[in-house]
Every structure is written in C-alpha cells, then in structure tokens.
Amino acid sequence: MSIISLIIFFFFFYTHSLATSNNAQQNFIQCLITSPELTTPITGAIYTPVNASFPTVLQDYIRNLRFNESTTPKPALIVTALDLSHVKASIICAKKHNLLMKTRSGGHDYEGLSYVSDRSPFFILDLFNLRSINVSIEDETAWVQTGATLGELYYKIAEKSNTHAFPAGVCPTVGVGGHISGAGYGNMMRKYGLTVDNVIDAEIVNVDGKLLNRESMGEDLFWAITGGGGVSFGVVISYKVTLVRVPASVTVFQVRKTSEQNVTDVAYRWLQVANKLDNNLFIRMVFDVVNNTNGEKTIRASFPSLFLGNTTTLLNIMDQSFPELGLQRTDCQEMNWTQSVLWYYNFPPGSPDSTLLSRVPRSLVHLKRKSDYVKKPISKQGLSSIFKKMVELQRVVLTFNPYGGRMAEISEFAKPFPHRAGNIAKIQYALDWNENGVEAANRYINLTRVLYEHMTPFVSKLPREAFLNYRDLDIGVNHNGKNSFVEGTVYGVKYFKEANFKRLVKVKTIVDPDNFFRNEQSIPTLPSFRK
C-alpha cells in the first residue's frame, strides 16, 4: 500500500472516530503525517482507540494498576516514536495545535504522570522503541537511549566486561529516561553517588523541535535534566554515562530480625552507623509487619546488602562497625555484579543474565509510594512508637536507604537533587494491593498518609523533603493555570530545596517560556510579571 493510500485509509477511520472531537485533534494527526520533519513514515507509529492494538500499547507500560481502571482518563492517541524525526514532529505539531503531551519511557512513575491526565484531550509520546545502547569499555562510557531499561543497560555492559557496572536501580524494567532525569540511585550510591552524578552528556529535543547535546544546550539545561525531571524541559533522547569499576566478585547478604530478636536495638544501631560504614558497603533496612510464632502481628526488620568486596573483608568491617546485626559467614554469598542485581530483586538463584532483558515486571499491583529524609538518629522510644503504629496499620512497608560516603561529598548544588550531606537515610513508604476501584485505592492510600503523619517528628523539616523519583501528588499538585508558579513552589522546594528550585524555574522560563512541557508536578515558569 502506498503512503497516499495509507493516509486515506488512516483518515477514513479517524474522521469517524474523532467526529465528536475538536478539530485540533484531527489537525494534529494531519500535521504529524505530513510533517516536513519526518525522515520515515509515522503512520505505523500512531495508535488511537479505533486501533485493535490501542489497549495493548497503552497498558504494556502501565506499571501501577491504580491507573489502569475503566475510570482512568485515556489518551486520544499514542505515538510510539520509531526514530528521532517522530519525536520532533510530535512536539512541533502538539505545540501548534495545543495538544497536551505526556512522555513515557518505562512507565514506572509512581503517580502515572507519563500516561494519565485529568485534562482532555492529551496524547502519549512513548519512547520504548528508542532503546539503543552503545557501550565502550575502552572509554568506560556508554550512550543509552531513554526508552531502554536499566536491565538492558546492565546486560550490555556485562556482555563486554564483568568488572564494569553502572550505579542505578535494582529494578530491571525501569526505563532509563525517567530514572536518570529524576536523579536515580542504587546500591552503589555510597561508593559512586547518584545515577546522575555519572552522566556526562545528553541529547534532548527542545520545544522548537531541535536536537541539542550538552555543548549546544548549555550547562544550565544539562544541569536541569540531570535530576530536575527531563519532561519539564523537553524530550530527552539519550544520555552518555560513565561506567564504574566493580570487583569480579561482590558479596550480598540478607539478615532478618523480629521483635523477639531485639529489632529495636539493631535498628537503633543501624541509624547510628549506616551512613558511616565503609563506602563499599550498602545496607538497607526494611520494616514490615508479619505474624510471630503465636500468630500475633509483629515488626520484622530486613537488612539486604551489597558489598563491593569479598566475604572475609566484609565480616571484618561488620565485626568492627556493626556487630549488633550478628552477620555470619553463612549469611554471605559471593557472585558477580549482574547476579547481585538479580539477587537483590528476588529472582530465583542461578537466573541467567538474560533475565535482565525482560520488559515484563515480575508482578503488577496497585501501589502508593511516599518519601522522607532522616537527618538525626531516631531514639529507641521513637522507633517503638513507629513500630506500634505500623502494627496498627499492618500494610505499610518502610525502607531506609543509607546515605553518607560519596553522597555526603558532592555539593547539594551540583545537581538539582539536593539531599546530600546531613542525611542519614531516605525513607520510602510502600503499600501494594490487588483490589480494583477508587474506594479500595483511597482506603489503602490513606494508610500511607497516616504513617507519614506519624513520622513527622522523626524526619526533615522546613521543608519536609522528598525525592522526585518517588513521585507523590500528596505533597502538591500543579494545575498549570495562573497560579502555576505558586503551586509549583509547594512541591518544588520539597523535591529540590529553595536554591535549586529557583534555578530550575529560571532554566524552565528560558527554554520553555510558554510551559508546553508540563504535568501535575512539572517545573513552572516564572509569573509573567517577573519574566
């Protein structure tokens, strides 16, 4: 079928399916198909509700079932960009015809902001086809497109070296785009800092449809998209990252303690030392509620760990710095770094590295996440209070991620992410459920809010800080109207603190003055009277 025939075929369906829609949508589609930016046809990359594949394309990268309900607002269309020209055309045409664009890479954003909007109509620019990865062990760098997953990046590195890695998250199906642009972190952050601390270049398509790299975009914009959220400033196509060196064999362990095993004392000690341990050692602390031997609800603390070294060295460090945990040689396993990622994410022992290539999550659930920062050790009395509240609520899980090491050495102004020195740990609040419906969602989400409120005395204040990659609409929503700057400031200072937020707003105002790239928690522009 010729291109002209395809266009006629395409419009035959769309004139019917969009009969009740505004002309802007139809004009947008025509603009896409006829865009002079195109180097390859775009018709095969456009899906609307009349396409049989539309539900599959939409749902394939929905990672939070809260946003896969029948009542969830759906996009007018999805563009699954096949190349750079499709991205350029999408931006130019959406801007011309005033259509809201949502950009999606892996779909793991906790509030669904990359594929849901209360404003209608909107469309999704989905980048999952843009996933090339070029690894250079000689230069110890890699170019990775934002539609790739972390698992794919790790696998490509491992193909060429078992002593190189990249400091990012342990969930293999997370998209590179959102992870890096929102700062990113993983089990090696105490050794090598955040994911964005290891990014040295990027390619972004700006609001005018122009492709820029670090040199042509300038240092301010490069700074903004390495931790400030790329979707506020353009469409990031790829990042150039620096690989880090790891031993051919690393050590992992998982130790668990319950209330009957002095969990309060062990947790208290963790808060004293976790951010002061050897930089090669990362020990998480995870609290959940389980049944004890008598069938009663009790607190369990889990301590999963990665050590960039061997078991003997690890045991020496633990004996000196954290003997309260009671780590034994039998608790430890040595393996290569990619296997440690699979181990940490609870894949079965012996899973091949190719497991990292799967884009299908191990499970799909409804979920809610929140975050906090701990700057002072919590007292034993405080921990007891937290445990009591958790047992009362039963379902919420608290994960403490230790800071210190390299994290404390980098300036809070080096990247938009400001949570550096002075932090013991970041907390994630997590609750998963399987029931559908708004009523169930509200009930479970409220449990996280109750615990979050209870934690107020133990966490950062003025502002109460939060982590951008743990998106949380509870801390502020932007309606992108006349009060956009004021609304944006509410959550902006929590994610970035005041100085970094002001710099992000300044960059945004320069590169996207009309606020084309926007969502419910995007960076606002300055009010018109201050521009």
Short mmCIF file of all heavy atoms in Angstrom, two decimals, residues 319-376:
data_model
loop_
_atom_site.label_atom_id
_atom_site.label_comp_id
_atom_site.label_asym_id
_atom_site.label_seq_id
_atom_site.Cartn_x
_atom_site.Cartn_y
_atom_site.Cartn_z
N ASP A 319 32.23 -6.79 62.00
CA ASP A 319 32.64 -7.07 63.39
C ASP A 319 33.07 -5.80 64.10
O ASP A 319 32.83 -5.64 65.31
CB ASP A 319 33.79 -8.09 63.41
CG ASP A 319 33.31 -9.49 63.07
OD1 ASP A 319 32.09 -9.73 63.14
OD2 ASP A 319 34.16 -10.34 62.73
N GLN A 320 33.69 -4.89 63.36
CA GLN A 320 34.18 -3.65 63.96
C GLN A 320 33.09 -2.58 64.06
O GLN A 320 33.04 -1.83 65.04
CB GLN A 320 35.35 -3.10 63.13
CG GLN A 320 36.60 -3.97 63.15
CD GLN A 320 37.68 -3.45 62.23
OE1 GLN A 320 37.68 -2.27 61.87
NE2 GLN A 320 38.62 -4.32 61.83
N SER A 321 32.23 -2.50 63.05
CA SER A 321 31.30 -1.36 62.95
C SER A 321 29.85 -1.68 63.28
O SER A 321 29.11 -0.81 63.72
CB SER A 321 31.37 -0.77 61.53
OG SER A 321 32.67 -0.38 61.19
N PHE A 322 29.42 -2.93 63.05
CA PHE A 322 28.00 -3.24 63.22
C PHE A 322 27.83 -4.67 63.72
O PHE A 322 27.08 -5.46 63.15
CB PHE A 322 27.29 -3.04 61.87
CG PHE A 322 25.79 -2.97 61.94
CD1 PHE A 322 25.08 -2.90 63.14
CD2 PHE A 322 25.04 -2.97 60.76
CE1 PHE A 322 23.70 -2.84 63.18
CE2 PHE A 322 23.66 -2.91 60.77
CZ PHE A 322 22.98 -2.85 61.99
N PRO A 323 28.47 -5.01 64.84
CA PRO A 323 28.37 -6.39 65.34
C PRO A 323 26.96 -6.74 65.80
O PRO A 323 26.60 -7.92 65.87
CB PRO A 323 29.37 -6.41 66.51
CG PRO A 323 29.47 -4.99 66.96
CD PRO A 323 29.33 -4.17 65.71
N GLU A 324 26.15 -5.73 66.13
CA GLU A 324 24.79 -5.97 66.60
C GLU A 324 23.94 -6.75 65.60
O GLU A 324 22.97 -7.43 65.98
CB GLU A 324 24.09 -4.64 66.93
CG GLU A 324 24.70 -3.90 68.12
CD GLU A 324 25.93 -3.08 67.73
OE1 GLU A 324 26.34 -3.12 66.53
OE2 GLU A 324 26.48 -2.40 68.61
N LEU A 325 24.29 -6.64 64.32
CA LEU A 325 23.50 -7.35 63.31
C LEU A 325 23.75 -8.86 63.38
O LEU A 325 22.89 -9.65 62.98
CB LEU A 325 23.83 -6.83 61.91
CG LEU A 325 22.93 -7.33 60.78
CD1 LEU A 325 21.48 -6.92 61.02
CD2 LEU A 325 23.40 -6.80 59.42
N GLY A 326 24.89 -9.25 63.90
CA GLY A 326 25.19 -10.68 64.04
C GLY A 326 25.44 -11.39 62.72
O GLY A 326 25.07 -12.56 62.56
N LEU A 327 26.05 -10.70 61.76
CA LEU A 327 26.30 -11.31 60.46
C LEU A 327 27.25 -12.50 60.58
O LEU A 327 28.29 -12.42 61.23
CB LEU A 327 26.90 -10.26 59.51
CG LEU A 327 27.18 -10.73 58.07
CD1 LEU A 327 25.87 -11.03 57.35
CD2 LEU A 327 27.98 -9.69 57.31
N GLN A 328 26.88 -13.59 59.91
CA GLN A 328 27.70 -14.80 59.89
C GLN A 328 28.18 -15.08 58.47
O GLN A 328 27.55 -14.65 57.49
CB GLN A 328 26.88 -16.01 60.39
CG GLN A 328 26.28 -15.83 61.78
CD GLN A 328 27.35 -15.71 62.85
OE1 GLN A 328 28.31 -16.47 62.87
NE2 GLN A 328 27.18 -14.74 63.74
N ARG A 329 29.27 -15.82 58.37
CA ARG A 329 29.79 -16.17 57.05
C ARG A 329 28.74 -16.91 56.22
O ARG A 329 28.65 -16.75 55.00
CB ARG A 329 31.06 -17.00 57.19
CG ARG A 329 31.75 -17.34 55.87
CD ARG A 329 33.07 -18.04 56.09
NE ARG A 329 34.07 -17.14 56.68
CZ ARG A 329 34.87 -16.34 55.96
NH1 ARG A 329 34.78 -16.33 54.64
NH2 ARG A 329 35.75 -15.58 56.57
N THR A 330 27.94 -17.72 56.89
CA THR A 330 26.91 -18.49 56.18
C THR A 330 25.80 -17.61 55.61
O THR A 330 25.03 -18.06 54.75
CB THR A 330 26.29 -19.54 57.12
OG1 THR A 330 25.84 -18.89 58.32
CG2 THR A 330 27.30 -20.63 57.47
N ASP A 331 25.70 -16.36 56.09
CA ASP A 331 24.71 -15.44 55.54
C ASP A 331 25.15 -14.86 54.20
O ASP A 331 24.32 -14.28 53.46
CB ASP A 331 24.47 -14.26 56.50
CG ASP A 331 23.90 -14.68 57.84
OD1 ASP A 331 23.03 -15.58 57.83
OD2 ASP A 331 24.32 -14.13 58.88
N CYS A 332 26.42 -14.97 53.89
CA CYS A 332 27.01 -14.25 52.76
C CYS A 332 27.10 -15.13 51.51
O CYS A 332 27.36 -16.33 51.59
CB CYS A 332 28.40 -13.75 53.12
SG CYS A 332 28.43 -12.67 54.59
N GLN A 333 26.90 -14.49 50.37
CA GLN A 333 27.07 -15.15 49.07
C GLN A 333 27.91 -14.27 48.17
O GLN A 333 27.69 -13.05 48.10
CB GLN A 333 25.72 -15.39 48.39
CG GLN A 333 24.73 -16.23 49.17
CD GLN A 333 23.40 -16.33 48.43
OE1 GLN A 333 23.34 -16.76 47.28
NE2 GLN A 333 22.33 -15.92 49.10
N GLU A 334 28.86 -14.87 47.46
CA GLU A 334 29.67 -14.12 46.51
C GLU A 334 29.20 -14.44 45.09
O GLU A 334 28.88 -15.59 44.78
CB GLU A 334 31.16 -14.47 46.69
CG GLU A 334 31.72 -14.02 48.03
CD GLU A 334 33.23 -14.23 48.15
OE1 GLU A 334 33.84 -14.68 47.15
OE2 GLU A 334 33.79 -13.95 49.22
N MET A 335 29.17 -13.41 44.26
CA MET A 335 28.69 -13.55 42.87
C MET A 335 29.16 -12.34 42.08
O MET A 335 29.70 -11.38 42.66
CB MET A 335 27.16 -13.63 42.85
CG MET A 335 26.47 -12.45 43.50
SD MET A 335 24.69 -12.69 43.70
CE MET A 335 24.60 -14.01 44.92
N ASN A 336 28.94 -12.34 40.76
CA ASN A 336 29.30 -11.15 40.00
C ASN A 336 28.22 -10.07 40.15
O ASN A 336 27.15 -10.32 40.71
CB ASN A 336 29.59 -11.48 38.52
CG ASN A 336 28.36 -11.95 37.77
OD1 ASN A 336 27.23 -11.55 38.04
ND2 ASN A 336 28.57 -12.83 36.80
N TRP A 337 28.53 -8.90 39.65
CA TRP A 337 27.65 -7.75 39.94
C TRP A 337 26.26 -7.92 39.33
O TRP A 337 25.25 -7.62 39.98
CB TRP A 337 28.28 -6.45 39.45
CG TRP A 337 27.40 -5.27 39.76
CD1 TRP A 337 27.23 -4.68 40.98
CD2 TRP A 337 26.54 -4.59 38.86
NE1 TRP A 337 26.32 -3.65 40.89
CE2 TRP A 337 25.87 -3.58 39.59
CE3 TRP A 337 26.27 -4.70 37.50
CZ2 TRP A 337 24.96 -2.70 39.02
CZ3 TRP A 337 25.35 -3.84 36.91
CH2 TRP A 337 24.71 -2.85 37.67
N THR A 338 26.16 -8.39 38.08
CA THR A 338 24.84 -8.54 37.48
C THR A 338 24.01 -9.56 38.24
O THR A 338 22.79 -9.39 38.40
CB THR A 338 24.94 -8.94 35.99
OG1 THR A 338 25.86 -10.03 35.85
CG2 THR A 338 25.40 -7.78 35.14
N GLN A 339 24.65 -10.62 38.73
CA GLN A 339 23.91 -11.60 39.53
C GLN A 339 23.43 -10.98 40.84
O GLN A 339 22.37 -11.34 41.36
CB GLN A 339 24.80 -12.82 39.81
CG GLN A 339 24.96 -13.74 38.60
CD GLN A 339 23.66 -14.43 38.22
OE1 GLN A 339 23.03 -15.07 39.05
NE2 GLN A 339 23.26 -14.27 36.96
N SER A 340 24.19 -10.02 41.36
CA SER A 340 23.76 -9.35 42.60
C SER A 340 22.50 -8.52 42.37
O SER A 340 21.66 -8.38 43.26
CB SER A 340 24.89 -8.48 43.17
OG SER A 340 25.00 -7.23 42.50
N VAL A 341 22.37 -7.95 41.16
CA VAL A 341 21.15 -7.21 40.83
C VAL A 341 19.96 -8.16 40.82
O VAL A 341 18.90 -7.85 41.40
CB VAL A 341 21.28 -6.51 39.45
CG1 VAL A 341 19.95 -5.87 39.06
CG2 VAL A 341 22.38 -5.46 39.48
N LEU A 342 20.12 -9.32 40.18
CA LEU A 342 19.04 -10.30 40.14
C LEU A 342 18.72 -10.82 41.54
O LEU A 342 17.55 -11.02 41.89
CB LEU A 342 19.43 -11.46 39.22
CG LEU A 342 19.59 -11.09 37.73
CD1 LEU A 342 20.21 -12.25 36.96
CD2 LEU A 342 18.24 -10.72 37.14
N TRP A 343 19.75 -11.05 42.34
CA TRP A 343 19.55 -11.50 43.72
C TRP A 343 18.77 -10.45 44.51
O TRP A 343 17.82 -10.79 45.24
CB TRP A 343 20.90 -11.76 44.39
CG TRP A 343 20.81 -12.11 45.84
CD1 TRP A 343 20.68 -13.36 46.38
CD2 TRP A 343 20.84 -11.21 46.96
NE1 TRP A 343 20.62 -13.30 47.75
CE2 TRP A 343 20.71 -11.99 48.15
CE3 TRP A 343 20.95 -9.83 47.08
CZ2 TRP A 343 20.69 -11.42 49.42
CZ3 TRP A 343 20.92 -9.26 48.35
CH2 TRP A 343 20.79 -10.06 49.50
N TYR A 344 19.16 -9.20 44.37
CA TYR A 344 18.54 -8.12 45.15
C TYR A 344 17.07 -7.95 44.79
O TYR A 344 16.25 -7.57 45.62
CB TYR A 344 19.30 -6.81 44.92
CG TYR A 344 19.44 -5.95 46.14
CD1 TYR A 344 20.59 -6.00 46.92
CD2 TYR A 344 18.42 -5.09 46.55
CE1 TYR A 344 20.73 -5.23 48.05
CE2 TYR A 344 18.55 -4.31 47.69
CZ TYR A 344 19.71 -4.38 48.43
OH TYR A 344 19.83 -3.61 49.56
N TYR A 345 16.75 -8.26 43.54
CA TYR A 345 15.36 -8.12 43.09
C TYR A 345 14.58 -9.43 43.22
O TYR A 345 13.51 -9.59 42.66
CB TYR A 345 15.33 -7.62 41.64
CG TYR A 345 14.03 -6.94 41.28
CD1 TYR A 345 13.59 -5.82 41.99
CD2 TYR A 345 13.24 -7.40 40.24
CE1 TYR A 345 12.39 -5.21 41.68
CE2 TYR A 345 12.04 -6.78 39.90
CZ TYR A 345 11.63 -5.68 40.63
OH TYR A 345 10.44 -5.06 40.31
N ASN A 346 15.16 -10.38 43.98
CA ASN A 346 14.49 -11.62 44.36
C ASN A 346 14.19 -12.55 43.19
O ASN A 346 13.20 -13.30 43.22
CB ASN A 346 13.18 -11.32 45.12
CG ASN A 346 13.43 -10.64 46.44
OD1 ASN A 346 14.35 -11.00 47.17
ND2 ASN A 346 12.63 -9.63 46.75
N PHE A 347 15.04 -12.52 42.16
CA PHE A 347 14.92 -13.55 41.13
C PHE A 347 15.46 -14.87 41.69
O PHE A 347 16.31 -14.88 42.57
CB PHE A 347 15.69 -13.15 39.87
CG PHE A 347 14.95 -12.16 39.01
CD1 PHE A 347 15.27 -10.80 39.06
CD2 PHE A 347 13.94 -12.57 38.16
CE1 PHE A 347 14.59 -9.88 38.28
CE2 PHE A 347 13.26 -11.66 37.37
CZ PHE A 347 13.58 -10.32 37.43
N PRO A 348 14.99 -16.00 41.16
CA PRO A 348 15.46 -17.30 41.66
C PRO A 348 16.97 -17.43 41.51
O PRO A 348 17.55 -16.92 40.54
CB PRO A 348 14.72 -18.30 40.77
CG PRO A 348 13.51 -17.57 40.28
CD PRO A 348 13.93 -16.15 40.14
N PRO A 349 17.62 -18.11 42.44
CA PRO A 349 19.08 -18.32 42.34
C PRO A 349 19.46 -18.96 41.02
O PRO A 349 18.76 -19.86 40.53
CB PRO A 349 19.37 -19.26 43.52
CG PRO A 349 18.25 -19.03 44.49
CD PRO A 349 17.05 -18.73 43.66
N GLY A 350 20.55 -18.48 40.44
CA GLY A 350 21.03 -19.04 39.19
C GLY A 350 20.33 -18.50 37.96
O GLY A 350 20.58 -18.99 36.84
N SER A 351 19.45 -17.50 38.11
CA SER A 351 18.80 -16.90 36.93
C SER A 351 19.87 -16.34 36.00
O SER A 351 20.78 -15.64 36.44
CB SER A 351 17.85 -15.78 37.35
OG SER A 351 16.80 -16.28 38.15
N PRO A 352 19.78 -16.62 34.70
CA PRO A 352 20.81 -16.14 33.77
C PRO A 352 20.76 -14.63 33.62
O PRO A 352 19.72 -13.99 33.87
CB PRO A 352 20.44 -16.83 32.46
CG PRO A 352 18.98 -17.09 32.56
CD PRO A 352 18.72 -17.39 34.02
N ASP A 353 21.88 -14.04 33.20
CA ASP A 353 21.92 -12.59 32.99
C ASP A 353 20.87 -12.13 32.00
O ASP A 353 20.39 -10.99 32.07
CB ASP A 353 23.31 -12.17 32.49
CG ASP A 353 24.35 -12.14 33.60
OD1 ASP A 353 23.99 -12.41 34.76
OD2 ASP A 353 25.53 -11.85 33.30
N SER A 354 20.48 -13.00 31.07
CA SER A 354 19.47 -12.62 30.08
C SER A 354 18.13 -12.28 30.71
O SER A 354 17.27 -11.66 30.08
CB SER A 354 19.30 -13.75 29.05
OG SER A 354 18.92 -14.96 29.69
N THR A 355 17.93 -12.68 31.98
CA THR A 355 16.72 -12.31 32.71
C THR A 355 16.57 -10.79 32.76
O THR A 355 15.46 -10.26 32.80
CB THR A 355 16.77 -12.87 34.15
OG1 THR A 355 17.02 -14.27 34.10
CG2 THR A 355 15.47 -12.62 34.90
N LEU A 356 17.70 -10.09 32.74
CA LEU A 356 17.69 -8.63 32.78
C LEU A 356 17.03 -8.01 31.56
O LEU A 356 16.64 -6.84 31.59
CB LEU A 356 19.12 -8.10 32.90
CG LEU A 356 19.87 -8.43 34.19
CD1 LEU A 356 21.37 -8.13 34.03
CD2 LEU A 356 19.30 -7.64 35.36
N LEU A 357 16.90 -8.76 30.49
CA LEU A 357 16.36 -8.22 29.24
C LEU A 357 14.85 -8.23 29.20
O LEU A 357 14.24 -7.59 28.34
CB LEU A 357 16.90 -9.02 28.06
CG LEU A 357 18.42 -8.96 27.83
CD1 LEU A 357 18.82 -9.90 26.70
CD2 LEU A 357 18.85 -7.54 27.55
N SER A 358 14.22 -8.93 30.11
CA SER A 358 12.75 -8.99 30.11
C SER A 358 12.16 -7.63 30.45
O SER A 358 12.59 -6.96 31.41
CB SER A 358 12.25 -10.02 31.12
OG SER A 358 10.84 -9.96 31.24
N ARG A 359 11.17 -7.22 29.67
CA ARG A 359 10.48 -5.96 29.93
C ARG A 359 9.18 -6.17 30.71
O ARG A 359 8.43 -5.23 30.93
CB ARG A 359 10.20 -5.24 28.61
CG ARG A 359 11.46 -4.64 28.00
CD ARG A 359 11.19 -3.85 26.75
NE ARG A 359 12.32 -2.96 26.52
CZ ARG A 359 12.25 -1.63 26.48
NH1 ARG A 359 11.10 -1.03 26.66
NH2 ARG A 359 13.33 -0.90 26.28
N VAL A 360 8.93 -7.41 31.08
CA VAL A 360 7.70 -7.73 31.80
C VAL A 360 7.98 -7.74 33.29
O VAL A 360 8.80 -8.53 33.78
CB VAL A 360 7.15 -9.10 31.37
CG1 VAL A 360 5.86 -9.41 32.13
CG2 VAL A 360 6.92 -9.14 29.87
N PRO A 361 7.35 -6.86 34.09
CA PRO A 361 7.58 -6.85 35.53
C PRO A 361 7.21 -8.18 36.17
O PRO A 361 6.35 -8.90 35.67
CB PRO A 361 6.65 -5.73 36.03
CG PRO A 361 6.39 -4.88 34.83
CD PRO A 361 6.40 -5.82 33.66
N ARG A 362 7.87 -8.49 37.27
CA ARG A 362 7.59 -9.76 37.95
C ARG A 362 6.18 -9.79 38.50
O ARG A 362 5.58 -10.85 38.64
CB ARG A 362 8.61 -9.98 39.07
CG ARG A 362 10.04 -10.12 38.57
CD ARG A 362 10.93 -10.70 39.65
NE ARG A 362 10.57 -12.07 39.95
CZ ARG A 362 10.90 -12.70 41.07
NH1 ARG A 362 11.61 -12.08 42.00
NH2 ARG A 362 10.55 -13.96 41.28
N SER A 363 5.66 -8.63 38.84
CA SER A 363 4.28 -8.55 39.30
C SER A 363 3.74 -7.16 39.00
O SER A 363 4.50 -6.19 38.90
CB SER A 363 4.18 -8.83 40.81
OG SER A 363 4.88 -7.84 41.54
N LEU A 364 2.43 -7.08 38.83
CA LEU A 364 1.76 -5.79 38.63
C LEU A 364 0.70 -5.65 39.71
O LEU A 364 -0.14 -6.54 39.89
CB LEU A 364 1.11 -5.72 37.24
CG LEU A 364 2.05 -5.46 36.06
CD1 LEU A 364 1.28 -5.58 34.75
CD2 LEU A 364 2.69 -4.08 36.17
N VAL A 365 0.76 -4.55 40.43
CA VAL A 365 -0.16 -4.31 41.54
C VAL A 365 -0.59 -2.85 41.52
O VAL A 365 -0.04 -2.02 40.80
CB VAL A 365 0.50 -4.63 42.90
CG1 VAL A 365 0.81 -6.11 43.02
CG2 VAL A 365 1.77 -3.79 43.08
N HIS A 366 -1.59 -2.54 42.33
CA HIS A 366 -1.91 -1.16 42.65
C HIS A 366 -0.93 -0.72 43.73
O HIS A 366 -0.62 -1.51 44.64
CB HIS A 366 -3.34 -1.04 43.18
CG HIS A 366 -4.39 -1.61 42.27
ND1 HIS A 366 -4.55 -2.97 42.07
CD2 HIS A 366 -5.35 -1.00 41.52
CE1 HIS A 366 -5.56 -3.17 41.23
NE2 HIS A 366 -6.05 -2.00 40.88
N LEU A 367 -0.44 0.50 43.65
CA LEU A 367 0.56 0.89 44.64
C LEU A 367 0.53 2.38 44.95
O LEU A 367 0.02 3.19 44.17
CB LEU A 367 1.96 0.47 44.18
CG LEU A 367 2.50 1.05 42.86
CD1 LEU A 367 3.21 2.38 43.08
CD2 LEU A 367 3.44 0.05 42.20
N LYS A 368 1.09 2.71 46.11
CA LYS A 368 1.31 4.09 46.52
C LYS A 368 2.67 4.17 47.18
O LYS A 368 3.06 3.28 47.95
CB LYS A 368 0.21 4.54 47.52
CG LYS A 368 0.43 5.94 48.12
CD LYS A 368 0.39 7.04 47.08
CE LYS A 368 0.59 8.41 47.72
NZ LYS A 368 0.59 9.50 46.71
N ARG A 369 3.42 5.23 46.85
CA ARG A 369 4.74 5.46 47.44
C ARG A 369 4.83 6.89 47.95
O ARG A 369 4.25 7.81 47.39
CB ARG A 369 5.85 5.21 46.41
CG ARG A 369 5.88 3.81 45.81
CD ARG A 369 6.29 2.76 46.83
NE ARG A 369 6.49 1.44 46.23
CZ ARG A 369 5.56 0.50 46.19
NH1 ARG A 369 4.36 0.74 46.71
NH2 ARG A 369 5.81 -0.68 45.64
N LYS A 370 5.58 7.06 49.03
CA LYS A 370 5.89 8.37 49.59
C LYS A 370 7.36 8.36 50.03
O LYS A 370 7.98 7.30 50.06
CB LYS A 370 4.97 8.71 50.77
CG LYS A 370 3.49 8.74 50.41
CD LYS A 370 2.61 8.96 51.63
CE LYS A 370 2.67 10.39 52.12
NZ LYS A 370 2.09 11.35 51.15
N SER A 371 7.90 9.52 50.40
CA SER A 371 9.30 9.56 50.80
C SER A 371 9.54 10.57 51.91
O SER A 371 8.75 11.49 52.13
CB SER A 371 10.19 9.91 49.60
OG SER A 371 9.88 11.18 49.07
N ASP A 372 10.65 10.39 52.60
CA ASP A 372 11.09 11.27 53.68
C ASP A 372 12.61 11.18 53.79
O ASP A 372 13.23 10.27 53.23
CB ASP A 372 10.47 10.87 55.03
CG ASP A 372 9.30 11.75 55.43
OD1 ASP A 372 9.36 12.97 55.17
OD2 ASP A 372 8.34 11.22 56.02
N TYR A 373 13.18 12.10 54.58
CA TYR A 373 14.62 12.07 54.86
C TYR A 373 14.86 12.13 56.36
O TYR A 373 14.23 12.91 57.06
CB TYR A 373 15.33 13.23 54.15
CG TYR A 373 15.52 12.96 52.68
CD1 TYR A 373 14.55 13.32 51.76
CD2 TYR A 373 16.64 12.27 52.23
CE1 TYR A 373 14.71 13.04 50.41
CE2 TYR A 373 16.80 11.98 50.88
CZ TYR A 373 15.83 12.37 49.98
OH TYR A 373 15.99 12.06 48.65
N VAL A 374 15.78 11.29 56.82
CA VAL A 374 16.14 11.24 58.23
C VAL A 374 17.49 11.94 58.41
O VAL A 374 18.48 11.55 57.79
CB VAL A 374 16.26 9.78 58.73
CG1 VAL A 374 16.63 9.76 60.21
CG2 VAL A 374 14.95 9.05 58.51
N LYS A 375 17.53 12.96 59.26
CA LYS A 375 18.75 13.73 59.47
C LYS A 375 19.37 13.49 60.84
O LYS A 375 20.56 13.74 61.04
CB LYS A 375 18.46 15.22 59.27
CG LYS A 375 18.02 15.55 57.85
CD LYS A 375 17.79 17.03 57.66
CE LYS A 375 17.38 17.34 56.22
NZ LYS A 375 18.44 17.08 55.24
N LYS A 376 18.58 12.99 61.78
CA LYS A 376 19.08 12.68 63.12
C LYS A 376 18.63 11.26 63.49
O LYS A 376 17.53 10.85 63.12
CB LYS A 376 18.54 13.67 64.16
CG LYS A 376 18.98 15.11 63.92
CD LYS A 376 18.38 16.04 64.98
CE LYS A 376 18.81 17.49 64.75
NZ LYS A 376 18.22 18.41 65.75
#
